[in-house]
Short mmCIF file of all heavy atoms in Angstrom, two decimals:
data_model
loop_
_atom_site.label_atom_id
_atom_site.label_comp_id
_atom_site.label_asym_id
_atom_site.label_seq_id
_atom_site.Cartn_x
_atom_site.Cartn_y
_atom_site.Cartn_z
N LEU H 1 17.68 -2.19 -0.31
CA LEU H 1 16.74 -1.35 0.36
C LEU H 1 15.41 -1.42 -0.37
O LEU H 1 15.37 -1.31 -1.59
CB LEU H 1 17.22 0.09 0.40
CG LEU H 1 18.56 0.34 1.08
CD1 LEU H 1 19.00 1.76 0.83
CD2 LEU H 1 18.46 0.07 2.55
N SER H 2 14.34 -1.57 0.38
CA SER H 2 13.02 -1.60 -0.24
C SER H 2 11.97 -1.17 0.77
O SER H 2 12.25 -1.01 1.96
CB SER H 2 12.71 -3.00 -0.76
OG SER H 2 12.65 -3.92 0.31
N PHE H 3 10.75 -0.96 0.29
CA PHE H 3 9.65 -0.60 1.19
C PHE H 3 8.33 -1.06 0.60
O PHE H 3 8.23 -1.32 -0.61
CB PHE H 3 9.61 0.92 1.43
CG PHE H 3 9.17 1.71 0.22
CD1 PHE H 3 7.82 1.96 -0.01
CD2 PHE H 3 10.09 2.20 -0.67
CE1 PHE H 3 7.41 2.69 -1.12
CE2 PHE H 3 9.70 2.94 -1.78
CZ PHE H 3 8.35 3.18 -2.01
N ALA H 4 7.32 -1.15 1.46
CA ALA H 4 5.94 -1.39 1.04
C ALA H 4 5.08 -0.43 1.84
O ALA H 4 5.24 -0.28 3.05
CB ALA H 4 5.52 -2.82 1.29
N LEU H 5 4.15 0.26 1.16
CA LEU H 5 3.30 1.26 1.78
C LEU H 5 1.90 1.12 1.23
O LEU H 5 1.71 1.12 0.02
CB LEU H 5 3.85 2.66 1.47
CG LEU H 5 2.97 3.85 1.86
CD1 LEU H 5 2.86 3.97 3.37
CD2 LEU H 5 3.52 5.12 1.24
N ALA H 6 0.92 0.99 2.12
CA ALA H 6 -0.48 0.92 1.71
C ALA H 6 -1.18 2.22 2.10
O ALA H 6 -1.07 2.67 3.24
CB ALA H 6 -1.18 -0.26 2.36
N LEU H 7 -1.87 2.83 1.14
CA LEU H 7 -2.65 4.04 1.36
C LEU H 7 -4.11 3.70 1.09
O LEU H 7 -4.48 3.46 -0.07
CB LEU H 7 -2.17 5.16 0.44
CG LEU H 7 -0.70 5.54 0.58
CD1 LEU H 7 -0.29 6.47 -0.55
CD2 LEU H 7 -0.45 6.18 1.92
N LEU H 8 -4.91 3.64 2.15
CA LEU H 8 -6.29 3.19 2.03
C LEU H 8 -7.25 4.21 2.62
O LEU H 8 -6.92 4.92 3.56
CB LEU H 8 -6.48 1.86 2.77
CG LEU H 8 -5.54 0.71 2.40
CD1 LEU H 8 -5.83 -0.50 3.27
CD2 LEU H 8 -5.63 0.37 0.93
N ASP H 9 -8.47 4.25 2.08
CA ASP H 9 -9.51 5.10 2.64
C ASP H 9 -10.30 4.33 3.69
O ASP H 9 -9.93 3.21 4.06
CB ASP H 9 -10.42 5.67 1.53
CG ASP H 9 -11.24 4.61 0.81
OD1 ASP H 9 -11.31 3.44 1.26
OD2 ASP H 9 -11.83 4.95 -0.24
N GLU H 10 -11.39 4.93 4.19
CA GLU H 10 -12.18 4.30 5.26
C GLU H 10 -12.87 3.02 4.81
O GLU H 10 -13.29 2.21 5.64
CB GLU H 10 -13.20 5.29 5.84
CG GLU H 10 -14.24 5.77 4.83
CD GLU H 10 -13.79 6.97 4.02
OE1 GLU H 10 -12.69 7.50 4.20
OE2 GLU H 10 -14.58 7.38 3.15
N ASN H 11 -12.95 2.78 3.51
CA ASN H 11 -13.54 1.54 2.98
C ASN H 11 -12.47 0.53 2.58
O ASN H 11 -12.77 -0.46 1.94
CB ASN H 11 -14.43 1.86 1.76
CG ASN H 11 -15.59 2.74 2.13
OD1 ASN H 11 -16.27 2.49 3.12
ND2 ASN H 11 -15.80 3.79 1.38
N ASN H 12 -11.22 0.80 2.98
CA ASN H 12 -10.07 -0.05 2.67
C ASN H 12 -9.81 -0.17 1.16
O ASN H 12 -9.36 -1.21 0.68
CB ASN H 12 -10.20 -1.42 3.33
CG ASN H 12 -10.19 -1.31 4.83
OD1 ASN H 12 -9.47 -0.50 5.40
ND2 ASN H 12 -11.01 -2.11 5.49
N ASN H 13 -10.11 0.90 0.44
CA ASN H 13 -9.80 0.98 -0.98
C ASN H 13 -8.63 1.95 -1.15
O ASN H 13 -8.54 2.94 -0.44
CB ASN H 13 -11.00 1.51 -1.77
CG ASN H 13 -12.20 0.61 -1.66
OD1 ASN H 13 -12.08 -0.61 -1.62
ND2 ASN H 13 -13.37 1.19 -1.62
N GLY H 14 -7.75 1.64 -2.08
CA GLY H 14 -6.62 2.53 -2.32
C GLY H 14 -5.56 1.86 -3.14
O GLY H 14 -5.83 1.19 -4.14
N VAL H 15 -4.32 1.98 -2.68
CA VAL H 15 -3.18 1.48 -3.44
C VAL H 15 -2.11 0.99 -2.47
O VAL H 15 -1.98 1.50 -1.35
CB VAL H 15 -2.62 2.59 -4.36
CG1 VAL H 15 -2.07 3.76 -3.57
CG2 VAL H 15 -1.58 2.05 -5.31
N VAL H 16 -1.36 -0.01 -2.91
CA VAL H 16 -0.18 -0.44 -2.17
C VAL H 16 1.02 -0.19 -3.09
O VAL H 16 0.99 -0.52 -4.28
CB VAL H 16 -0.26 -1.92 -1.70
CG1 VAL H 16 -0.35 -2.90 -2.85
CG2 VAL H 16 0.90 -2.27 -0.80
N LEU H 17 2.03 0.46 -2.53
CA LEU H 17 3.26 0.77 -3.27
C LEU H 17 4.38 -0.12 -2.77
O LEU H 17 4.51 -0.35 -1.56
CB LEU H 17 3.66 2.23 -3.06
CG LEU H 17 2.62 3.28 -3.44
CD1 LEU H 17 3.10 4.66 -3.02
CD2 LEU H 17 2.33 3.23 -4.92
N ASN H 18 5.20 -0.60 -3.69
CA ASN H 18 6.33 -1.44 -3.33
C ASN H 18 7.55 -0.88 -4.05
O ASN H 18 7.59 -0.85 -5.28
CB ASN H 18 6.06 -2.89 -3.75
CG ASN H 18 7.09 -3.84 -3.22
OD1 ASN H 18 8.09 -3.45 -2.62
ND2 ASN H 18 6.87 -5.13 -3.44
N GLY H 19 8.53 -0.43 -3.29
CA GLY H 19 9.76 0.12 -3.86
C GLY H 19 10.90 -0.84 -3.67
O GLY H 19 11.14 -1.33 -2.57
N ILE H 20 11.60 -1.13 -4.76
CA ILE H 20 12.73 -2.05 -4.73
C ILE H 20 13.94 -1.31 -5.28
O ILE H 20 13.91 -0.79 -6.40
CB ILE H 20 12.44 -3.31 -5.56
CG1 ILE H 20 11.20 -4.02 -5.01
CG2 ILE H 20 13.65 -4.24 -5.56
CD1 ILE H 20 10.71 -5.16 -5.87
N TYR H 21 14.99 -1.27 -4.49
CA TYR H 21 16.21 -0.54 -4.87
C TYR H 21 17.41 -1.49 -4.89
O TYR H 21 17.55 -2.37 -4.05
CB TYR H 21 16.50 0.57 -3.86
CG TYR H 21 15.42 1.60 -3.81
CD1 TYR H 21 14.43 1.55 -2.85
CD2 TYR H 21 15.38 2.63 -4.75
CE1 TYR H 21 13.42 2.50 -2.82
CE2 TYR H 21 14.38 3.57 -4.73
CZ TYR H 21 13.41 3.51 -3.75
OH TYR H 21 12.40 4.44 -3.72
N SER H 22 18.26 -1.30 -5.86
CA SER H 22 19.52 -2.02 -5.92
C SER H 22 20.56 -1.10 -6.57
O SER H 22 20.24 0.01 -6.98
CB SER H 22 19.38 -3.32 -6.72
OG SER H 22 19.21 -3.03 -8.09
N ARG H 23 21.77 -1.55 -6.70
CA ARG H 23 22.82 -0.73 -7.32
C ARG H 23 22.54 -0.49 -8.80
O ARG H 23 22.89 0.53 -9.36
CB ARG H 23 24.17 -1.40 -7.17
CG ARG H 23 24.68 -1.37 -5.77
CD ARG H 23 26.04 -1.97 -5.69
NE ARG H 23 26.49 -1.98 -4.31
CZ ARG H 23 27.67 -2.37 -3.92
NH1 ARG H 23 28.54 -2.81 -4.81
NH2 ARG H 23 27.99 -2.33 -2.66
N GLU H 24 21.92 -1.46 -9.45
CA GLU H 24 21.69 -1.38 -10.89
C GLU H 24 20.41 -0.65 -11.26
O GLU H 24 20.29 -0.12 -12.36
CB GLU H 24 21.64 -2.79 -11.49
CG GLU H 24 22.95 -3.55 -11.42
CD GLU H 24 23.18 -4.19 -10.05
OE1 GLU H 24 22.19 -4.57 -9.40
OE2 GLU H 24 24.34 -4.29 -9.64
N MET H 25 19.40 -0.65 -10.38
CA MET H 25 18.11 -0.07 -10.74
C MET H 25 17.29 0.23 -9.49
O MET H 25 17.60 -0.22 -8.41
CB MET H 25 17.33 -1.02 -11.64
CG MET H 25 16.93 -2.30 -10.94
SD MET H 25 15.97 -3.33 -12.02
CE MET H 25 15.68 -4.70 -10.92
N SER H 26 16.24 0.98 -9.69
CA SER H 26 15.25 1.15 -8.63
C SER H 26 13.88 1.26 -9.29
O SER H 26 13.72 1.92 -10.32
CB SER H 26 15.56 2.36 -7.76
OG SER H 26 15.13 3.53 -8.31
N ASN H 27 12.93 0.53 -8.75
CA ASN H 27 11.58 0.48 -9.30
C ASN H 27 10.56 0.67 -8.20
O ASN H 27 10.78 0.24 -7.06
CB ASN H 27 11.31 -0.87 -9.97
CG ASN H 27 12.18 -1.11 -11.18
OD1 ASN H 27 12.20 -0.30 -12.08
ND2 ASN H 27 12.91 -2.21 -11.15
N ILE H 28 9.45 1.31 -8.54
CA ILE H 28 8.33 1.42 -7.63
C ILE H 28 7.10 0.89 -8.36
O ILE H 28 6.79 1.33 -9.47
CB ILE H 28 8.09 2.87 -7.16
CG1 ILE H 28 9.31 3.35 -6.37
CG2 ILE H 28 6.83 2.94 -6.28
CD1 ILE H 28 9.23 4.79 -5.92
N TYR H 29 6.44 -0.07 -7.74
CA TYR H 29 5.25 -0.69 -8.31
C TYR H 29 4.03 -0.26 -7.51
O TYR H 29 4.09 -0.15 -6.29
CB TYR H 29 5.36 -2.22 -8.28
CG TYR H 29 6.57 -2.74 -9.01
CD1 TYR H 29 7.75 -3.02 -8.32
CD2 TYR H 29 6.55 -2.94 -10.37
CE1 TYR H 29 8.87 -3.49 -8.99
CE2 TYR H 29 7.66 -3.41 -11.06
CZ TYR H 29 8.82 -3.68 -10.36
OH TYR H 29 9.93 -4.14 -11.02
N ALA H 30 2.92 -0.03 -8.19
CA ALA H 30 1.66 0.33 -7.54
C ALA H 30 0.60 -0.68 -7.95
O ALA H 30 0.48 -1.02 -9.13
CB ALA H 30 1.23 1.74 -7.94
N LYS H 31 -0.15 -1.17 -6.95
CA LYS H 31 -1.22 -2.13 -7.23
C LYS H 31 -2.49 -1.65 -6.53
O LYS H 31 -2.44 -1.21 -5.37
CB LYS H 31 -0.84 -3.51 -6.71
CG LYS H 31 0.40 -4.07 -7.39
CD LYS H 31 0.84 -5.36 -6.78
CE LYS H 31 2.18 -5.79 -7.36
NZ LYS H 31 2.72 -6.94 -6.65
N PRO H 32 -3.62 -1.70 -7.22
CA PRO H 32 -4.87 -1.26 -6.61
C PRO H 32 -5.31 -2.20 -5.49
O PRO H 32 -5.07 -3.41 -5.56
CB PRO H 32 -5.87 -1.26 -7.76
CG PRO H 32 -5.31 -2.22 -8.75
CD PRO H 32 -3.81 -2.17 -8.58
N VAL H 33 -5.97 -1.63 -4.49
CA VAL H 33 -6.52 -2.40 -3.37
C VAL H 33 -8.00 -2.06 -3.27
O VAL H 33 -8.37 -0.88 -3.26
CB VAL H 33 -5.80 -2.07 -2.05
CG1 VAL H 33 -6.43 -2.81 -0.88
CG2 VAL H 33 -4.32 -2.38 -2.14
N GLU H 34 -8.84 -3.08 -3.21
CA GLU H 34 -10.28 -2.89 -3.03
C GLU H 34 -10.74 -3.74 -1.85
O GLU H 34 -10.49 -4.95 -1.82
CB GLU H 34 -11.04 -3.29 -4.29
CG GLU H 34 -10.78 -2.39 -5.47
CD GLU H 34 -11.58 -2.78 -6.70
OE1 GLU H 34 -12.55 -3.54 -6.57
OE2 GLU H 34 -11.21 -2.31 -7.79
N LYS H 35 -11.38 -3.09 -0.89
CA LYS H 35 -11.90 -3.76 0.32
C LYS H 35 -10.80 -4.56 1.02
O LYS H 35 -11.03 -5.66 1.49
CB LYS H 35 -13.09 -4.63 -0.02
CG LYS H 35 -14.26 -3.83 -0.56
CD LYS H 35 -15.44 -4.71 -0.87
CE LYS H 35 -16.54 -3.85 -1.48
NZ LYS H 35 -17.68 -4.65 -1.93
N GLY H 36 -9.60 -4.01 1.05
CA GLY H 36 -8.49 -4.62 1.78
C GLY H 36 -7.77 -5.74 1.07
O GLY H 36 -6.90 -6.38 1.64
N THR H 37 -8.10 -5.99 -0.21
CA THR H 37 -7.42 -7.04 -0.97
C THR H 37 -7.09 -6.52 -2.37
O THR H 37 -7.64 -5.52 -2.82
CB THR H 37 -8.28 -8.31 -1.10
OG1 THR H 37 -9.47 -8.00 -1.80
CG2 THR H 37 -8.62 -8.90 0.25
N SER H 38 -6.20 -7.22 -3.04
CA SER H 38 -5.85 -6.87 -4.41
C SER H 38 -6.05 -8.07 -5.30
O SER H 38 -5.79 -9.21 -4.90
CB SER H 38 -4.40 -6.41 -4.49
OG SER H 38 -4.07 -6.05 -5.82
N LYS H 39 -6.53 -7.84 -6.52
CA LYS H 39 -6.70 -8.95 -7.45
C LYS H 39 -5.37 -9.34 -8.09
O LYS H 39 -5.28 -10.34 -8.77
CB LYS H 39 -7.74 -8.61 -8.51
CG LYS H 39 -7.38 -7.47 -9.42
CD LYS H 39 -8.48 -7.22 -10.43
CE LYS H 39 -8.12 -6.06 -11.35
NZ LYS H 39 -9.16 -5.83 -12.34
N TYR H 40 -4.33 -8.55 -7.84
CA TYR H 40 -2.99 -8.84 -8.35
C TYR H 40 -2.22 -9.66 -7.33
O TYR H 40 -2.51 -9.63 -6.13
CB TYR H 40 -2.25 -7.54 -8.65
CG TYR H 40 -2.88 -6.76 -9.76
CD1 TYR H 40 -3.88 -5.84 -9.50
CD2 TYR H 40 -2.50 -6.95 -11.08
CE1 TYR H 40 -4.49 -5.12 -10.52
CE2 TYR H 40 -3.10 -6.25 -12.11
CZ TYR H 40 -4.09 -5.33 -11.81
OH TYR H 40 -4.69 -4.64 -12.83
N THR H 41 -1.22 -10.39 -7.80
CA THR H 41 -0.34 -11.12 -6.89
C THR H 41 0.45 -10.11 -6.08
O THR H 41 1.05 -9.20 -6.63
CB THR H 41 0.63 -12.02 -7.69
OG1 THR H 41 -0.14 -12.90 -8.50
CG2 THR H 41 1.53 -12.80 -6.75
N ILE H 42 0.42 -10.27 -4.75
CA ILE H 42 1.14 -9.34 -3.88
C ILE H 42 2.13 -10.10 -3.01
O ILE H 42 1.92 -11.26 -2.67
CB ILE H 42 0.17 -8.49 -3.02
CG1 ILE H 42 -0.75 -9.37 -2.18
CG2 ILE H 42 -0.64 -7.56 -3.88
CD1 ILE H 42 -1.63 -8.59 -1.23
N SER H 43 3.20 -9.41 -2.66
CA SER H 43 4.26 -10.01 -1.84
C SER H 43 3.85 -10.04 -0.37
O SER H 43 2.86 -9.42 0.03
CB SER H 43 5.54 -9.20 -2.00
OG SER H 43 5.38 -7.93 -1.39
N GLU H 44 4.62 -10.74 0.42
CA GLU H 44 4.38 -10.78 1.87
C GLU H 44 4.49 -9.39 2.48
O GLU H 44 3.72 -9.03 3.36
CB GLU H 44 5.36 -11.74 2.55
CG GLU H 44 5.07 -13.20 2.29
CD GLU H 44 3.69 -13.63 2.76
OE1 GLU H 44 3.28 -13.25 3.88
OE2 GLU H 44 3.02 -14.35 2.00
N GLU H 45 5.44 -8.60 2.00
CA GLU H 45 5.61 -7.23 2.50
C GLU H 45 4.39 -6.37 2.17
O GLU H 45 3.94 -5.58 2.99
CB GLU H 45 6.88 -6.60 1.92
CG GLU H 45 8.17 -7.23 2.41
CD GLU H 45 8.57 -8.49 1.64
OE1 GLU H 45 7.87 -8.86 0.67
OE2 GLU H 45 9.57 -9.10 2.02
N GLU H 46 3.85 -6.55 0.97
CA GLU H 46 2.65 -5.81 0.58
C GLU H 46 1.45 -6.25 1.41
O GLU H 46 0.65 -5.42 1.85
CB GLU H 46 2.37 -5.99 -0.91
CG GLU H 46 3.40 -5.31 -1.80
CD GLU H 46 3.30 -5.73 -3.25
OE1 GLU H 46 3.02 -6.92 -3.52
OE2 GLU H 46 3.53 -4.87 -4.10
N LYS H 47 1.33 -7.55 1.64
CA LYS H 47 0.24 -8.07 2.49
C LYS H 47 0.32 -7.46 3.89
O LYS H 47 -0.69 -7.06 4.46
CB LYS H 47 0.32 -9.59 2.61
CG LYS H 47 -0.12 -10.34 1.39
CD LYS H 47 0.00 -11.84 1.63
CE LYS H 47 -0.19 -12.62 0.35
NZ LYS H 47 0.01 -14.06 0.54
N GLU H 48 1.52 -7.41 4.44
CA GLU H 48 1.72 -6.84 5.78
C GLU H 48 1.36 -5.36 5.81
O GLU H 48 0.71 -4.89 6.74
CB GLU H 48 3.17 -7.04 6.21
CG GLU H 48 3.44 -6.55 7.61
CD GLU H 48 4.88 -6.77 8.04
OE1 GLU H 48 5.63 -7.50 7.36
OE2 GLU H 48 5.25 -6.20 9.09
N ALA H 49 1.75 -4.61 4.78
CA ALA H 49 1.43 -3.18 4.72
C ALA H 49 -0.08 -2.96 4.64
O ALA H 49 -0.62 -2.09 5.33
CB ALA H 49 2.12 -2.54 3.52
N ILE H 50 -0.76 -3.77 3.84
CA ILE H 50 -2.22 -3.66 3.73
C ILE H 50 -2.88 -4.01 5.06
O ILE H 50 -3.77 -3.29 5.53
CB ILE H 50 -2.76 -4.57 2.60
CG1 ILE H 50 -2.30 -4.04 1.24
CG2 ILE H 50 -4.28 -4.67 2.65
CD1 ILE H 50 -2.54 -5.00 0.09
N GLN H 51 -2.44 -5.09 5.70
CA GLN H 51 -3.02 -5.50 6.98
C GLN H 51 -2.83 -4.42 8.04
O GLN H 51 -3.76 -4.11 8.79
CB GLN H 51 -2.41 -6.82 7.43
CG GLN H 51 -3.10 -7.42 8.62
CD GLN H 51 -4.55 -7.76 8.33
OE1 GLN H 51 -4.90 -8.18 7.24
NE2 GLN H 51 -5.42 -7.55 9.30
N LYS H 52 -1.66 -3.82 8.10
CA LYS H 52 -1.41 -2.76 9.07
C LYS H 52 -2.30 -1.55 8.80
O LYS H 52 -2.82 -0.93 9.73
CB LYS H 52 0.07 -2.35 9.05
CG LYS H 52 0.96 -3.35 9.74
CD LYS H 52 2.40 -2.87 9.75
CE LYS H 52 3.28 -3.86 10.48
NZ LYS H 52 4.66 -3.39 10.60
N ALA H 53 -2.49 -1.21 7.52
CA ALA H 53 -3.35 -0.08 7.17
C ALA H 53 -4.80 -0.36 7.52
O ALA H 53 -5.51 0.52 7.99
CB ALA H 53 -3.22 0.25 5.69
N VAL H 54 -5.27 -1.59 7.33
CA VAL H 54 -6.65 -1.97 7.66
C VAL H 54 -6.87 -1.93 9.16
O VAL H 54 -7.91 -1.44 9.64
CB VAL H 54 -6.97 -3.37 7.08
CG1 VAL H 54 -8.28 -3.90 7.65
CG2 VAL H 54 -7.03 -3.32 5.56
N GLU H 55 -5.91 -2.41 9.93
CA GLU H 55 -6.06 -2.52 11.38
C GLU H 55 -5.90 -1.20 12.12
O GLU H 55 -6.47 -1.02 13.19
CB GLU H 55 -5.05 -3.52 11.94
CG GLU H 55 -5.33 -4.94 11.53
CD GLU H 55 -4.26 -5.91 11.98
OE1 GLU H 55 -3.22 -5.47 12.54
OE2 GLU H 55 -4.44 -7.11 11.75
N ASN H 56 -5.15 -0.27 11.58
CA ASN H 56 -4.86 0.98 12.28
C ASN H 56 -5.86 2.07 11.93
O ASN H 56 -6.38 2.13 10.83
CB ASN H 56 -3.44 1.47 11.94
CG ASN H 56 -2.39 0.60 12.58
OD1 ASN H 56 -2.46 0.31 13.76
ND2 ASN H 56 -1.43 0.17 11.80
N LYS H 57 -6.06 2.94 12.89
CA LYS H 57 -6.90 4.11 12.65
C LYS H 57 -6.12 5.11 11.82
O LYS H 57 -4.90 5.19 11.91
CB LYS H 57 -7.32 4.73 13.98
CG LYS H 57 -8.21 3.83 14.79
CD LYS H 57 -8.63 4.48 16.08
CE LYS H 57 -9.51 3.53 16.86
NZ LYS H 57 -9.92 4.07 18.13
N PRO H 58 -6.80 5.90 11.01
CA PRO H 58 -6.08 6.86 10.16
C PRO H 58 -5.36 7.92 10.98
O PRO H 58 -5.86 8.36 12.01
CB PRO H 58 -7.17 7.47 9.29
CG PRO H 58 -8.44 7.23 10.01
CD PRO H 58 -8.24 5.98 10.83
N ILE H 59 -4.22 8.32 10.48
CA ILE H 59 -3.46 9.39 11.11
C ILE H 59 -3.95 10.74 10.57
O ILE H 59 -4.16 11.68 11.30
CB ILE H 59 -1.96 9.21 10.84
CG1 ILE H 59 -1.49 7.90 11.47
CG2 ILE H 59 -1.16 10.38 11.38
CD1 ILE H 59 -0.08 7.51 11.10
N TYR H 60 -4.15 10.80 9.28
CA TYR H 60 -4.61 12.03 8.63
C TYR H 60 -5.90 11.73 7.87
O TYR H 60 -6.03 10.69 7.26
CB TYR H 60 -3.58 12.55 7.63
CG TYR H 60 -2.27 12.90 8.28
CD1 TYR H 60 -1.17 12.06 8.17
CD2 TYR H 60 -2.13 14.06 9.01
CE1 TYR H 60 0.03 12.37 8.77
CE2 TYR H 60 -0.93 14.39 9.62
CZ TYR H 60 0.15 13.53 9.48
OH TYR H 60 1.32 13.84 10.07
N ARG H 61 -6.81 12.65 7.92
CA ARG H 61 -8.05 12.52 7.18
C ARG H 61 -8.24 13.78 6.35
O ARG H 61 -8.20 14.88 6.89
CB ARG H 61 -9.23 12.31 8.11
CG ARG H 61 -10.54 12.07 7.37
CD ARG H 61 -11.63 11.70 8.34
NE ARG H 61 -11.33 10.44 8.98
CZ ARG H 61 -11.78 9.25 8.57
NH1 ARG H 61 -12.54 9.18 7.52
NH2 ARG H 61 -11.48 8.17 9.25
N ILE H 62 -8.42 13.61 5.06
CA ILE H 62 -8.64 14.75 4.17
C ILE H 62 -10.14 14.91 3.98
O ILE H 62 -10.83 13.98 3.58
CB ILE H 62 -7.95 14.52 2.82
CG1 ILE H 62 -6.44 14.38 3.03
CG2 ILE H 62 -8.27 15.65 1.86
CD1 ILE H 62 -5.69 13.96 1.80
N LYS H 63 -10.65 16.09 4.31
CA LYS H 63 -12.07 16.36 4.16
C LYS H 63 -12.31 17.05 2.83
O LYS H 63 -11.61 18.00 2.47
CB LYS H 63 -12.58 17.22 5.30
CG LYS H 63 -12.52 16.52 6.64
CD LYS H 63 -13.11 17.37 7.73
CE LYS H 63 -13.02 16.62 9.05
NZ LYS H 63 -13.60 17.39 10.14
N GLU H 64 -13.31 16.57 2.11
CA GLU H 64 -13.66 17.18 0.84
C GLU H 64 -14.52 18.40 1.09
O GLU H 64 -15.30 18.44 2.03
CB GLU H 64 -14.40 16.18 -0.04
CG GLU H 64 -13.53 15.02 -0.45
CD GLU H 64 -14.26 14.06 -1.37
OE1 GLU H 64 -15.17 14.50 -2.07
OE2 GLU H 64 -13.90 12.88 -1.35
N LYS H 65 -14.39 19.40 0.24
CA LYS H 65 -15.18 20.63 0.38
C LYS H 65 -16.51 20.48 -0.29
O LYS H 65 -16.75 19.76 -1.16
CB LYS H 65 -14.42 21.81 -0.22
CG LYS H 65 -13.18 22.13 0.56
CD LYS H 65 -12.50 23.32 -0.05
CE LYS H 65 -11.24 23.66 0.75
NZ LYS H 65 -10.58 24.83 0.22
#
């Protein structure tokens, strides 16, 4: 079981999370995203999560006070 989740702002900056689970261990990795890309090596699942976040309109918007 695993997942990839990209959390981006309106400028496509944020983070992509990748969770990998097995019987022996479970790890969650976070990589920074700037302008829809990461300077780190990313997996196909992470690429897909980033692309979906870039293409979709936000569901929730947090307004600063």
Side-chain angles (χ1 to χ4, degrees):
L1 301 171
S2 63
F3 70 88
L5 171 68
L7 301 170
L8 306 177
D9 65 12
E10 63 273 359
N11 297 313
N12 296 323
N13 299 323
V15 64
V16 63
L17 303 174
N18 189 354
I20 301 172
Y21 298 97
S22 71
R23 289 183 182 184
E24 294 81 31
M25 66 178 180
S26 82
N27 295 305
I28 297 177
Y29 302 95
K31 298 174 187 172
V33 177
E34 293 182 17
K35 298 181 183 174
T37 62
S38 181
K39 64 180 180 179
Y40 295 88
T41 303
I42 56 175
S43 69
E44 288 300 316
E45 292 83 3
E46 291 168 323
K47 286 180 191 176
E48 183 179 349
I50 292 169
Q51 189 62 37
K52 285 182 178 184
V54 168
E55 291 175 355
N56 289 311
K57 294 181 180 179
I59 298 171
Y60 299 103
R61 184 173 296 265
I62 299 172
K63 294 184 180 181
E64 294 182 28
K65 293 181 180 182

